[in-house]
Amino acid sequence: MTSKKLVNSVAGCADDALAGLVACNPNLQLLQGHRVALRSDLDSLKGRVALLSGGGSGHEPAHAGFIGKGMLTGVIAGAVFTSPAVGSILAAIRAVAQAGTVGTLLIVKNYTGDRLNFGLAREQAQAEGIPVEMVVIGDDSAFTVLKKAGRRGLCGTVLIHKVAGALAEAGVGLEEITKQVNMVAKAMGTLGVSLSSCSVPGSKPTFELSADEVELGLGIHGEAGVRRIKMATADEIVKLMLDHMTDTTNASHVPVQSGSSVVMMVNNLGGLSFLELGILADAAVRSLEGRGVKIARALVGTFMSALEMPGVSLTLLLVDEPLLKLIDAETTAAAWPNVAAVSVTGRKRSRVAPAEPQEALDSIAAGGSASKQMALVLERVCSTLLGLEEHLNALDRAAGDGDCGTTHSRAARAIREWLKEGPPPASPAQLLSKLSVLLLEKMGGSSGALYGLFLTAAAQPLKVKTSLPAWSAAMDAGLETMQKYGKAAPGDRTMLDSLWAAGQELQAWKSPGADLFQVLAKAVKSAEAAAEATKNMEAGAGRASYISSARLEQPDPGAVAAAAILRAILEVLQSQGV
């Protein structure tokens, strides 16, 4: 079965993609009749060397994303994973020559089709009297034994674009640029790994991987790698990649060792999430620095992709200060990242957090009877939520991402860990404030934020008094704040429904002579009834409101959890005979 692609046609997808890039970038122009993009200010390059690159489409943002002042002059694009036509390459060379450039350097990735087509175009242009040189970039570090074809051209080619572009912008001549670029290319290596293949528009995936396999050392055209390894953690995968890249018995290794200074590229091969990319970048930094390697610059993003391939490549380029200046030189290329000209290694990566404000001394000693009672209540709440984890997750799967029980269990475990540190504050206001901070930090999700808001607001009336009317006022304050920021109202099928029903019953505490247990018992029953009633409600807030019809057959898990918390509090207080 062919994969789904958002294209107008398979045949025209490369043309449409390049047209879209040019349409959105005033600094680029298309060369009529060819799949070629050029700088729109070609006339400003008179007397300088032009830089042309390219290859098959499907590697975006390479190569056209790197056209701009300080990088490429133009790009010739082929069909997906197909070398561009000789005629288009020659047309691009003629176009930059007519603009008054003093020579053209072709930067070509080491693939047979690219070498042949760019090479033929070069020969024809030279026959016309146009000065043209060509560098073939092979930075692949996958093969332990080099074959006749040599190392494949991978993401390191982008660094060559940058170095050559900076030299050209500085007015360096064609021969010198060619010489320096060839030297830089020898100090570079790239290795890729992928979780699965990619698929050319109109075709099936190029290879298959089982669920527990990862492809190591693959290229950028969907071809299989040098070997398959078992799925492992990001740290383990990165270590394996760096071990392979720097192994001196590997004929294509990059000579990085302790004391080396490098530019590191962490390149998304197209389908990896940014979350995974960040994890891999962190693993690479830690692993390299652990080997005594200095990371002078780190580039993380999508530079040279293989369509939607969910994988990553690591590139290491050995650098000195003169080469770093070329990497840091200004460019207007849209796909080049805004990298600070500061070493990654040696930089302070964290800041001390502000100290918590000093609290007023608790008028009731922690560890006293009130504090012990608070601990009993919290322990019962924790055991209740932990026991409900699977049930709440099951309810949440109907309307959300199925993690409501997990979120509440995370809060319960955090509270238990906190209780191990010592007795809780006996002051209700301080207790609620502490719990608020704890849940905001540890619980996560919208539930953590809502409970945190509720408890923060509820603590305020209890700073002055802890009478029954004050507890009722605390409930009112918590509910008001929860509605203010959560935007839910009673009847919207959320946790607010249970709490609101309980809050209405707790209004009775404001009357003289109100009975603690009678009112609280009625509040708990009302909360439980409200939670059950949410199954008949249409969701008006929260994730469930986005579901078609927004009417579900199960009660809201947040409302169920809130009612269960209130039930746990009541049962402990009744057992203690408060």
Side-chain angles (χ1 to χ4, degrees), residues 263-561:
V263 168
M264 177 188 78
M265 292 184 81
V266 182
N267 172 55
N268 188 348
L269 287 172
L272 210 64
S273 68
F274 280 96
L275 182 139
E276 293 164 285
L277 200 64
I279 293 169
L280 289 161
D282 177 60
V285 168
R286 285 187 286 104
S287 185
L288 283 169
E289 291 183 340
R291 299 163 190 245
V293 176
K294 177 186 176 183
I295 304 172
R297 303 288 184 270
L299 287 69
V300 182
T302 305
F303 305 102
M304 185 173 288
S305 65
L307 292 170
E308 81 281 22
M309 182 177 284
V312 66
S313 67
L314 296 180
T315 299
L316 299 178
L317 169 65
L318 286 161
V319 292
D320 54 17
E321 284 304 315
L323 184 52
L324 268 183
K325 288 182 179 179
L326 298 176
I327 296 291
D328 292 337
E330 182 184 354
T331 179
T332 60
W336 183 260
N338 183 20
V339 180
V342 179
S343 175
V344 170
T345 298
R347 184 178 63 85
K348 196 172 181 180
R349 294 176 188 149
S350 63
R351 180 185 295 272
V352 176
E356 292 290 330
Q358 291 292 325
E359 296 181 9
L361 291 175
D362 194 346
S363 59
I364 309 173
S369 60
S371 178
K372 291 177 181 177
Q373 188 178 78
M374 299 282 193
L376 289 173
V377 169
L378 290 174
E379 178 53 43
R380 175 66 69 86
V381 168
C382 290
S383 61
T384 297
L385 293 177
L386 289 168
L388 285 172
E389 180 173 2
E390 289 306 316
H391 177 58
L392 295 176
N393 280 343
L395 293 178
D396 194 33
R397 278 191 284 273
D401 48 11
D403 69 344
C404 182
T406 303
T407 302
H408 282 78
S409 292
R410 188 160 54 240
R413 292 187 181 93
I415 292 172
R416 278 185 167 175
E417 288 299 314
W418 175 60
L419 289 174
K420 289 179 183 178
E421 297 174 5
S427 160
Q430 289 188 12
L431 176 67
L432 296 188
S433 294
K434 288 283 189 182
L435 288 173
S436 168
V437 173
L438 187 68
L439 296 184
L440 285 169
E441 289 184 353
K442 304 292 186 181
M443 186 175 187
S446 57
S447 296
L450 289 169
Y451 277 118
L453 287 165
F454 177 86
L455 293 170
T456 298
Q460 305 314 306
L462 297 173
K463 288 181 176 179
V464 181
K465 296 180 181 179
T466 57
S467 60
L468 290 182
W471 277 103
S472 179
M475 189 71 166
D476 292 342
L479 290 170
E480 181 182 350
T481 301
M482 185 180 281
Q483 290 182 87
K484 177 181 178 181
Y485 291 101
K487 299 299 182 184
D492 279 345
R493 197 184 186 278
T494 68
M495 62 191 290
L496 180 69
D497 290 301
S498 293
L499 294 172
W500 179 267
Q504 296 305 105
E505 296 294 342
L506 294 183
Q507 295 297 315
W509 277 348
K510 295 176 181 176
S511 301
D515 183 271
L516 166 65
F517 289 117
Q518 281 186 350
V519 173
L520 185 56
K522 286 183 68 176
V524 172
K525 288 182 179 179
S526 292
E528 291 171 336
E532 183 65 18
T534 58
K535 69 165 71 172
N536 299 316
M537 295 178 184
E538 183 172 323
R543 190 177 279 116
S545 64
Y546 298 108
I547 292 182
S548 178
S549 81
R551 190 175 293 278
L552 303 154
E553 297 178 356
Q554 301 292 337
D556 177 72
V560 171

Side-chain angles (χ1 to χ4, degrees), residues 27-47:
N27 295 322
L28 304 182
Q29 289 180 323
L30 290 171
L31 189 61
Q32 289 182 4
H34 300 278
R35 198 182 291 126
V36 172
L38 297 166
R39 284 176 58 171
S40 57
D41 62 345
L42 275 188
D43 292 339
S44 69
L45 298 178
K46 188 173 182 179

